Amino acid sequence: MDDQTRMLAGLAGLGGLSQGDVGDQDSVRKQLGQPQQDIGDILQQIMAITDESLDEAQARKHALNCHRMKPALFSVLCEIKEKTVLSIRGVQDEDPPDPQIMRLDNMLLAEGVSGPEKGGGSAAAAAAAAAAAGGSPGSDGGIEHSDYRAKLAQIRQIYHSELEKYEQACSEFTNHVMNLLREQSRTRPISPKEIERMVAIIHRKFSSIQMQLKQSTCEAVMILRSRFLDARRKRRNFNKQATEVLNEYFYSHLSNPYPSEEAKEELAKKCAITVSQVSNWFGNKRIRYKKNIGKFQEEANLYAVKTAVDAASVSAQASQANSPATPNSGTHIFGSIKITSN
DNA sequence: AAAAATGATTCTTG
DNA sequence: CAAGAATCATTTTT
């Protein structure tokens, strides 16, 4: 009962001390003549250790270890620690996997930057290139592709070497701290849990650095992607014959230059381009024609003549076969066009 | 080197 | 969702 009341008073209700601990401390108290004085001295010496030379410190440390007070102080520290451990326990919550980090990791994995070495990378690059290229050219795709892959490999290599560097530094530092703690555990009590916590803290710090690395790597990959997979950056003009076919269709359907899906497919096949390229072309053509009809007059005449000649060759007619300067005689411009003057 | 042309993308609209 | 419009980034022309 005596023990219990003392414990309540001394530990402010924190509990957690075993009877053994209390007994230990009790005996310590009896042993000491003037506890305050001696403990103060020892603490002073401990604090002064950092100011001393290594040999000196070593010697002093040894002396302290052999000090008759050492076990007593040790047990006092044990007691204090019992108290603090409790307060620490409340603060320590396991970190939930940060969704941001997960996202970065996933992206890097998908991009083939992290994960298995060469295999993943080239697979991802190939998939990306395939998705971008569609399936038409085949000739110049290879060069861009390999270029992209090379850049990606470069990024991957930098990423991995940096990551390794961090990992190494982390484990080195962890080792160092562990050694320090082990050394210190001779003079003060250190539970495995404490060490564990220390290591966790270190790892968290380093992983935050790693996140920065991941972030910047992601950024680099995104830039690379937009640089190489954005088709408009490596635009090739259609060949002469293709534009000829397209223009022919456009000017011969000038009153309604909206090819149906089937017509688009047909044109795409004839021009060796994709259907969406045909759509793009007509979209651009319509808007640009309408924007400045005058500029396209010559072209319009040219193709009008062309089709007229074709028609004439079929039905050898010469109703009004002369001056090609007749601007699109029967072609009313599609829909209702508001010509923006500029 | 500047200007024009051109294929592609993005955003708004109906 | 497709067409229009504005814009981008490159290629071609001047």
Side-chain angles (χ1 to χ4, degrees):
Chain A
M1 209 42 167
D2 180 40
D3 274 12
Q4 192 154 6
T5 47
R6 206 175 45 69
M7 192 164 89
L8 284 174
L11 302 181
L14 277 164
L17 265 190
S18 68
Q19 291 277 6
D21 283 340
V22 174
D24 222 1
Q25 206 216 347
D26 232 359
S27 62
V28 166
R29 285 264 167 84
K30 281 175 202 149
Q31 234 176 25
L32 303 180
Q34 315 156 320
Q36 256 71 345
Q37 180 75 9
D38 272 355
I39 289 174
D41 279 355
I42 292 169
L43 286 175
Q44 190 87 34
Q45 287 176 46
I46 290 174
M47 297 306 278
I49 273 177
T50 50
D51 296 332
E52 300 167 0
S53 80
L54 215 61
D55 287 346
E56 227 178 311
Q58 213 68 16
R60 200 169 279 271
K61 206 162 74 181
H62 185 68
L64 276 172
N65 270 333
C66 300
H67 196 282
R68 68 188 172 84
M69 289 288 301
K70 196 244 173 185
L73 181 58
F74 196 87
S75 76
V76 168
L77 290 173
C78 267
E79 183 185 343
I80 292 170
K81 201 194 63 160
E82 277 297 326
K83 286 198 271 184
T84 52
V85 158
L86 282 179
S87 58
I88 286 166
R89 212 168 277 160
V91 180
Q92 183 155 12
D93 48 338
E94 273 309 310
D95 47 314
D98 189 345
Q100 181 115 26
I101 291 183
M102 298 277 285
R103 240 189 46 220
L104 289 176
D105 276 340
N106 283 341
M107 190 200 145
L108 288 174
L109 210 68
E111 227 52 59
V113 173
S114 62
E117 258 306 302
K118 287 282 180 188
S122 53
S136 47
S139 55
D140 52 4
I143 296 165
E144 292 173 40
H145 184 182
S146 67
D147 213 4
Y148 173 82
R149 210 160 51 183
K151 289 264 164 97
L152 193 70
Q154 196 179 332
I155 289 176
R156 189 173 58 229
Q157 196 216 316
I158 290 170
Y159 170 79
H160 276 126
S161 74
E162 289 290 303
L163 201 66
E164 201 176 325
K165 234 163 48 185
Y166 290 157
E167 228 127 61
Q168 194 180 335
C170 180
S171 74
E172 239 169 67
F173 190 68
T174 304
N175 246 347
H176 181 229
V177 169
M178 296 259 278
N179 281 338
L180 272 180
L181 287 178
R182 214 170 301 140
E183 183 66 26
Q184 286 187 11
S185 71
R186 283 167 54 186
T187 44
R188 72 186 179 94
I190 297 173
S191 68
K193 209 160 198 166
E194 250 177 312
I195 296 178
E196 208 174 285
R197 204 172 124 264
M198 215 59 199
V199 169
I201 288 171
I202 294 167
H203 281 182
R204 220 170 306 157
K205 287 277 181 231
F206 271 91
S207 79
S208 84
I209 295 172
Q210 282 185 6
M211 195 181 75
Q212 283 186 320
L213 172 67
K214 283 175 185 176
Q215 209 152 19
S216 60
T217 305
C218 271
E219 230 165 86
V221 170
M222 292 307 267
I223 289 168
L224 183 70
R225 272 179 81 91
S226 69
R227 183 93 187 77
F228 277 86
L229 301 180
D230 192 352
R232 75 179 150 178
R233 290 191 185 261
K234 272 275 194 209
R235 175 175 68 77
R236 299 245 61 112
N237 286 2
F238 299 153
N239 62 42
K240 207 119 178 123
Q241 186 215 317
T243 46
E244 195 124 321
V245 170
L246 292 167
N247 271 317
E248 219 167 282
Y249 187 100
F250 181 79
Y251 286 110
S252 62
H253 299 73
L254 201 50
S255 53
N256 186 35
Y258 298 87
S260 65
E261 202 58 34
E262 300 85 68
K264 280 184 195 171
E265 278 168 35
E266 175 102 12
L267 287 166
K269 205 189 296 180
K270 265 203 251 185
C271 301
I273 58 179
T274 67
V275 171
S276 71
Q277 280 180 306
V278 173
S279 296
N280 285 340
W281 190 91
F282 273 89
N284 282 321
K285 193 69 183 181
R286 281 192 299 264
I287 195 89
R288 281 165 185 164
Y289 180 84
K290 153 176 139 182
K291 212 161 183 168
N292 190 353
I293 292 176
K295 197 166 62 183
F296 289 90
Q297 206 54 249
E298 204 177 331
E299 190 178 73
N301 292 333
L302 201 147
Y303 284 98
V305 168
K306 205 189 264 268
T307 52
V309 167
D310 281 358
S313 69
V314 172
S315 66
Q317 270 279 6
S319 56
Q320 53 145 193
N322 50 0
S323 60
T326 33
N328 44 317
S329 45
T331 52
H332 312 96
I333 313 310
F334 38 90
S336 57
I337 292 180
K338 309 155 253 183
I339 295 162
T340 51
S341 52
N342 57 342

